[in-house]
Amino acid sequence: MKSLFHLAYNVRNLSDARSFYGEILGCEEGRSSDSWVDYNFFGHEISLHLGTPFEVQATGKVGGHMVPMPHLGVILEYEDWIGVAEKLKAAKVEFVLEPMVRFEGEPGEQWTMFFFDPSGNPIEIKGFKSMDRVFAS
């Protein structure tokens, strides 16, 4: 079964969201109105609606790090992950968790980074050298 996810969440300002998702992350803008905008978020659909973002707390303990919960994430091929990390660094995005390798040498070895969008929505981007290893245990 092939599928895409759709996630809708609130942002405080559509102009800031457009700058971040469109210009910094390079996501393609889709449909929009005066109160929301859709993006192709690495092959999936996100809908950003004007409103109050959800409450976030650093309650998720993963690999010895406390990470913001809840959070949106995407998994990329390692080479694409490197490209996104470089874009974010060039844009001087502040990281919650700097780009790093996690679970090195283990079945779930992955590269990860956490950051917030301009509205405070946490995003994790993971990278795998082989997508066959995403669910490895």
Side-chain angles (χ1 to χ4, degrees), residues 5-9 21 25 41-42 44-46 48 54 68-74 113-115 117 121-126:
F5 76 73
H6 161 80
L7 180 63
Y9 54 97
Y21 289 91
L25 287 178
F41 186 75
F42 303 97
H44 304 281
E45 182 187 50
I46 58 171
L48 308 176
F54 50 80
M69 297 294 291
H71 61 265
L72 160 67
V74 68
M113 60 183 127
F114 276 85
F115 51 92
D117 77 2
N121 295 305
I123 300 172
E124 176 184 22
I125 299 186
K126 295 182 182 185

Side-chain angles (χ1 to χ4, degrees), residues 38-123:
D38 285 347
Y39 277 98
N40 176 343
F41 186 75
F42 303 97
H44 304 281
E45 182 187 50
I46 58 171
S47 295
L48 308 176
H49 293 256
L50 284 176
T52 303
F54 50 80
E55 183 181 329
V56 174
Q57 296 180 357
T59 58
K61 187 171 183 181
V62 183
H65 296 94
M66 297 303 289
V67 298
M69 297 294 291
H71 61 265
L72 160 67
V74 68
I75 299 170
L76 303 175
E77 296 274 352
Y78 176 72
E79 293 77 18
D80 295 328
W81 181 87
I82 290 289
V84 172
E86 289 172 357
K87 280 186 194 178
L88 292 169
K89 287 178 184 178
K92 300 192 184 329
V93 170
E94 185 177 329
F95 291 95
V96 174
L97 188 61
E98 293 277 339
M100 60 174 283
V101 65
R102 183 165 60 182
F103 309 123
E104 190 168 11
E106 298 179 33
E109 181 176 276
Q110 59 192 257
W111 286 258
T112 189
M113 60 183 127
F114 276 85
F115 51 92
F116 291 101
D117 77 2
S119 293
N121 295 305
I123 300 172

